[in-house]
Amino acid sequence: QVQLVQSGNEVKKPGASVKVSCKTSGYTFYDYGIDWVRQAPGQGPEWMGWIGPYNGNTKYAQKLQGRVTVTADTSTNTAYMELRSLTSDDTAMYYCVRERRAYGAGVFSYWGQGTLITVSS
Amino acid sequence: EMVMTQSPATLSVSPGEGATLSCRTSQSVGTNLAWYQQKPGQAPRLLIYSASSRATGTPARFSGSGSGTEFTLTISSLQSEDFAVYYCQHYNNWPPWMFGQGTKVEMK
């Protein structure tokens, strides 16, 4: 079965960086895009970025452009999301998500368990 | 920029009753719209994609309709496990893809 297992919760100070991993299994990693979605407490989800492991292309939300990088390691079937220059507004649950359709984009079928990032001085 | 509006913010329904949730987009998205269900402490779960196609495992009591800028999620007869927050999300002309702010379906 498809599984996405994320790295553990983290507490960071303002100005720091964080890198979250997403280890996948149960499908051909190369064929499906991976998105990152975050959700601040009491808020709706917010799409952050996407990577296509099959071509290495990435797309990012404009508000995060320059602060976020999404990568994919096809040798270990693992995706990563790095967010830099953290502020308290970045405190949220972060999810990696697999696309529903191979080579498709935009429909989030499988979700990781979430990684809580807390930014506090 | 696209604006997504879900209504109502909260819907109070008795078990066995039906519920109708609305999602409006400020620009046409065709049928590139999905619905998700989220329960406390859990990740969202895909229910509907392409405005009206049920995802694998979605019960038949959930149905989606609409196109362009007006969309509806209908739950025909609410079960206890259906009380949750529901989000719509568009995936037209990315980036960015956006979610609505959600409708909470609570027990009356």
Side-chain angles (χ1 to χ4, degrees), chain A:
Chain A
Q1 72 281 21
V2 176
Q3 286 192 311
L4 292 83
V5 179
Q6 299 181 221
S7 49
N9 299 337
E10 301 208 43
V11 179
K12 294 292 185 180
K13 294 199 180 302
S17 299
V18 67
K19 190 170 186 176
V20 181
S21 66
C22 173
K23 173 73 173 171
T24 72
S25 60
Y27 72 98
T28 303
F29 180 75
Y30 183 86
D31 290 342
Y32 292 82
I34 292 283
D35 297 84
W36 288 86
V37 175
R38 70 179 181 178
Q39 190 170 27
Q43 302 298 311
E46 176 188 18
W47 176 79
M48 300 177 66
W50 167 91
I51 185 166
Y54 42 87
N55 59 13
N57 288 350
T58 55
K59 295 281 188 182
Y60 298 112
Q62 188 172 11
K63 68 176 284 189
L64 296 173
Q65 197 89 31
R67 284 209 300 137
V68 65
T69 302
V70 174
T71 55
D73 184 342
T74 55
S75 68
T76 60
N77 297 337
T78 302
Y80 299 89
M81 185 281 299
E82 181 179 29
L83 188 62
R84 299 173 291 278
S85 302
L86 293 168
T87 73
S88 57
D89 289 343
D90 296 314
T91 294
M93 185 69 78
Y94 288 74
Y95 296 100
C96 63
V97 191
R98 199 208 82 173
E99 295 284 348
R100 183 188 74 85
R101 187 169 55 90
Y103 307 102
V107 181
F108 309 140
S109 276
Y110 295 93
W111 296 65
Q113 85 277 18
T115 297
L116 180 63
I117 303 298
T118 303
V119 183
S120 174
S121 55

